Amino acid sequence: MSAPTTVSTTDVVVTESEGPGQPATTSRGPEITGLLWQITKFLGSLLMSFVLILVIWWLFLLAYPDIGPIIGRTPVQVFQYLFTEPGAADARSEIFSNLWITLTDAAIGFVVGMAAALITAALFVVSRPAAQTFMPIAMLLRSVPLVAMTPLITLVVGRGVGVVAVMGGIVVFFPALVMIMTGLSNAPKQINDVIAVYGGNRWTALRRAAIPSAVPSLFSAAKISVPGALVGATVAEWLGTNKGLGATLQQALPAAAYNELWASVLVITVASIILYAIVGVIESIVLAQMGMQQH
């Protein structure tokens, strides 16, 4: 007869909430709470930044009274123009219609610029001679003002989607290129050595090690590029397509449509903050799923 087996209660941990087919969610609680707290702090900081922008706007008009009340408009006056005045519905419809055009143009420039930056950064990381040859040229081109290049760009690609893609892509491309290259270059050397030992080449190391480790840099580049894409779209509309909020800004000043001018500026600012917030929230969720800490 065998000796009785004793089982200590400290050796076995039974989770009553876990049954057949039920995932263990208890350990996920602190992670989800931390993620929600991180997102809340991020959105709160953006809200404070927006409030600070409104305060600076107001103080600027107070400091320079010659600008208003003929030209300058306070945030309250812009709100009244968009929501409470008799013609607010028509004004809001026109501005939001132009905003949709600008957001579409910004999306085109963002996609083109980020894709070009990612491909170029990958080529530069894999081929150091290519980076040493073409990176200085890229930086020299970046120093040329976009407004100065607009007539040439318009002459080459015409007035339409082409000029939007090129000008928006230029604004997005250069800062994104630098940040993505930095992220790709910071892949752990030990992983690259393991890949080399098992016969992997530089492209394998790029795919298996560099790109996953560069995800935080990709999101940082995206957050910076979202407002840049809106700026590029506005400039392209101002000088190239004559559509969207860029054209509205161009036409409002000589027409003395100051309510429309300030409302367009406020709408673009709010749109930039919202898009930045969306990218930031997605970044927090993705990095949490990948087990990466966001700094």
Side-chain angles (χ1 to χ4, degrees):
M1 184 174 179
S2 59
T5 303
T6 60
V7 180
S8 173
T9 56
T10 60
D11 295 334
V12 179
V13 178
V14 179
T15 305
E16 295 180 356
S17 61
E18 296 181 18
Q22 295 180 347
T25 57
T26 305
S27 61
R28 297 286 294 174
E31 295 180 9
I32 295 175
T33 302
L35 176 61
L36 292 177
W37 174 242
Q38 182 178 346
I39 292 175
T40 302
K41 289 194 299 181
F42 171 71
L43 295 179
S45 65
L46 286 183
L47 180 61
M48 292 300 297
S49 299
F50 178 65
V51 172
L52 181 60
I53 290 173
L54 295 181
V55 171
I56 292 174
W57 178 356
W58 211 315
L59 292 176
F60 175 79
L61 293 178
L62 291 177
Y64 296 92
D66 294 337
I67 296 178
I70 299 176
I71 298 176
R73 296 293 184 272
T74 65
V76 173
Q77 290 174 321
V78 171
F79 179 84
Q80 293 172 347
Y81 172 73
L82 289 176
F83 295 102
T84 62
E85 291 183 358
D90 294 335
R92 191 167 60 248
S93 175
E94 181 179 358
I95 287 181
F96 286 155
S97 297
N98 289 326
L99 174 64
W100 178 252
I101 296 174
T102 301
L103 290 177
T104 303
D105 293 340
I108 294 172
F110 177 81
V111 171
V112 171
M114 285 294 292
L118 180 58
I119 294 171
T120 305
L123 292 174
F124 283 179
V125 169
V126 172
S127 176
R128 294 296 181 182
Q132 294 172 356
T133 301
F134 293 105
M135 194 64 176
I137 298 176
M139 292 300 101
L140 287 176
L141 291 175
R142 179 66 182 90
S143 64
V144 180
L146 187 61
V147 175
M149 293 190 294
T150 302
L152 179 61
I153 296 173
T154 304
L155 181 64
V156 173
V157 301
R159 295 178 179 269
V161 177
V163 68
V164 169
V166 172
M167 295 183 68
I170 289 175
V171 174
V172 171
F173 174 78
F174 292 102
L177 174 64
V178 174
M179 298 192 71
I180 294 174
M181 276 192 64
T182 302
L184 293 176
S185 301
N186 289 337
K189 188 176 181 301
Q190 295 84 352
I191 299 179
N192 292 331
D193 293 339
V194 171
I195 293 173
V197 167
Y198 280 92
N201 55 24
R202 291 184 177 181
W203 292 104
T204 305
L206 176 70
R207 187 176 69 255
R208 298 290 186 179
I211 292 179
S213 65
V215 170
S217 297
L218 287 172
F219 276 108
S220 297
K223 287 194 296 185
I224 292 177
S225 299
V226 164
L230 276 172
V231 172
T234 304
V235 174
E237 292 167 350
W238 187 316
L239 303 174
T241 66
N242 292 324
K243 298 178 181 179
L245 288 179
T248 300
L249 295 174
Q250 179 193 27
Q251 298 162 7
L253 190 58
Y258 299 119
N259 286 328
E260 187 177 11
L261 174 67
W262 287 92
S264 299
V265 172
L266 179 62
V267 167
I268 291 177
T269 303
V270 173
S272 299
I273 294 174
I274 291 175
L275 292 175
Y276 185 92
I278 292 173
V279 176
V281 171
I282 295 174
E283 176 190 22
S284 298
I285 295 173
V286 171
L287 294 186
Q289 291 294 324
M290 296 180 65
M292 294 183 176
Q293 293 183 352
Q294 184 178 6
H295 298 284

